[in-house]
Amino acid sequence: MSRKFFVGGNWKMNGDKKSLGDLIQTMNGAKVDPNVEVVCGAPAIYLDFARSKLDAKFGVAAQNCYKVAKGAFTGEISPAMIKDCGVNWVILGHSERRHVFGESDELIGQKTAHALESGLGVIACIGEKLDEREGGITEKVVFAQTKVIADNVKDWSKVVLAYEPVWAIGTGKTASPQQAQEVHEKLREWLKANVSEAVANSVRIIYGGSVTGGTCKELASQKDVDGFLVGGASLKPEFIEIINAKA
């Protein structure tokens, strides 16, 4: 089964209208592989701006949302609001949400369920910390995180799984292509055993963690790596190189 290569850019809490406008102009003018699905994760306050400026061939994602449609939740945004801005994706469970803001597996599961029920696509993030990898419990950790997400998914066609080893995010350390492939393959086996073979074969499992123009080609050649979630490099022109990693 061929899985469409997926490249997400997570802008995190970066940029302003000028710098993001320049980046969008670069992206709109670039020659990008038509066989790749590209989605840019903009800060909430710039979702409308990004969606109105970016070419229609690029998707836009919110970087987080809450688990209900509206209410007395100061500072939060809902999938309904995200959709109202013409945005069709949301990133959930990013390690910064988990480890900087203390979001639990349970909350991420609830957010996933509500976002999918609201018609958003979900880029669901999982990944182990350095002490967990060194302790030999990578699989245990990522399987537990994946289970909570899986328990909240009815339609897997709207889900992209992003494996991001926390020790490789923004550190300049990248998991080797072999390390990435190993975890992606194990995740696919887990999906086959716990969800279904059809889902295991069709769901896209993307890699995140210091992906650059220099590392992207070898990572993209791995059998079970179906794309990337790119942090810092998504704010630079080299993002185009990463999108075209398979070209």
Side-chain angles (χ1 to χ4, degrees):
M1 161 125 198
S2 75
R3 298 180 291 268
K4 187 169 189 177
F5 206 71
F6 184 102
V7 177
N10 180 9
W11 297 348
K12 306 192 181 183
M13 197 176 76
N14 291 300
D16 51 29
K17 283 186 178 174
K18 170 145 188 11
S19 65
L20 295 176
D22 291 346
L23 175 69
I24 287 167
Q25 216 173 348
T26 301
M27 287 185 64
N28 288 347
K31 193 172 181 321
V32 296
D33 184 342
N35 303 311
V36 177
E37 185 169 2
V38 181
V39 174
C40 294
I45 200 163
Y46 296 135
L47 284 171
D48 219 350
F49 175 79
R51 183 61 286 168
S52 65
K53 301 277 188 205
L54 263 173
D55 197 277
K57 67 175 175 278
F58 300 117
V60 176
Q63 297 174 13
N64 190 25
C65 68
Y66 198 50
K67 62 181 180 179
V68 293
K70 59 179 184 184
F73 303 102
T74 301
E76 293 292 319
I77 61 171
S78 71
M81 294 170 178
I82 293 166
K83 286 194 75 177
D84 193 37
C85 290
V87 171
N88 295 319
W89 288 91
V90 63
I91 301 169
L92 291 174
H94 191 278
S95 68
E96 287 148 20
R97 299 303 319 169
R98 292 174 187 270
H99 304 305
V100 180
F101 298 100
E103 291 191 11
S104 65
D105 280 347
E106 183 190 19
L107 176 60
I108 291 158
Q110 292 166 338
K111 288 179 174 195
T112 299
H114 179 62
L116 290 168
E117 281 158 13
S118 307
L120 285 179
V122 172
I123 301 167
C125 303
I126 55 178
E128 82 283 5
K129 295 189 295 204
L130 186 59
D131 59 338
E132 293 165 339
R133 174 163 281 268
E134 289 174 344
I137 57 169
T138 293
E139 281 172 46
K140 183 176 168 224
V141 170
V142 296
F143 289 170
Q145 292 170 339
T146 306
K147 184 182 187 316
V148 180
I149 291 161
D151 289 346
N152 287 284
V153 175
K154 293 188 184 78
D155 177 6
W156 280 91
S157 71
K158 306 279 286 193
V159 178
V160 171
L161 268 185
Y163 168 60
E164 297 201 294
V166 180
W167 49 273
I169 297 175
T171 58
K173 290 180 185 163
T174 312
S176 71
Q178 294 71 31
Q179 283 174 316
Q181 167 58 23
E182 188 185 356
V183 177
H184 285 229
E185 189 176 7
K186 293 267 174 34
L187 280 166
R188 224 176 276 292
E189 285 167 12
W190 187 93
L191 289 167
K192 187 174 168 180
N194 296 277
V195 182
S196 75
E197 186 164 8
V199 165
N201 290 335
S202 63
V203 79
R204 291 170 293 182
I205 307 176
I206 65 176
Y207 170 78
S210 299
V211 177
T212 64
T215 58
C216 65
K217 276 202 165 8
E218 202 188 344
L219 282 161
S221 71
Q222 303 299 310
K223 180 166 83 73
D224 289 295
V225 175
D226 302 314
F228 305 117
L229 187 57
V230 184
S234 69
L235 293 156
K236 301 172 188 161
E238 77 180 287
F239 188 49
I240 306 300
E241 283 175 60
I242 298 169
I243 294 169
N244 294 333
K246 294 279 264 196

